[in-house]
Amino acid sequence: LPFMLGLDCPLKRATTQKNFLEFVVVPLWKTLVDVFPELKFLHEQLIENLHSYAAEEDALKKGALKQPS
């Protein structure tokens, strides 16, 4: 699968994880939490994970985190 190529690159991996969460997982969990509100804490953790991957992606883009040669 083409989207699986290059995941040894930290920037590609962070971007792929962020996009998967943002476009697939978050909408699914939002709907699930609408039906089962007691699962809200899991959705909140998911959003924290999304922000973490986004921050990692930004840091890698700015060169703040070192990528392997």
Side-chain angles (χ1 to χ4, degrees):
L1 302 169
F3 63 87
M4 297 295 289
L5 298 175
L7 291 180
D8 53 332
C9 170
L11 177 58
K12 171 80 172 171
R13 185 173 46 249
T15 301
T16 301
Q17 288 284 14
K18 181 196 69 140
N19 290 342
F20 180 72
L21 289 176
E22 190 172 28
F23 297 110
V24 177
V25 181
V26 170
L28 175 68
W29 271 94
K30 183 182 178 330
T31 303
L32 196 58
V33 168
D34 288 345
V35 176
F36 302 104
E38 63 274 11
L39 298 178
K40 185 175 181 178
F41 74 100
L42 294 172
H43 184 262
E44 290 168 352
Q45 180 62 54
L46 173 61
I47 297 302
E48 285 183 36
N49 294 347
L50 176 61
H51 290 298
S52 177
Y53 280 116
E56 181 181 351
E57 178 188 38
D58 289 343
L60 287 165
K61 284 181 179 177
K62 293 176 184 174
L65 294 178
K66 187 173 180 160
Q67 295 191 54
S69 310

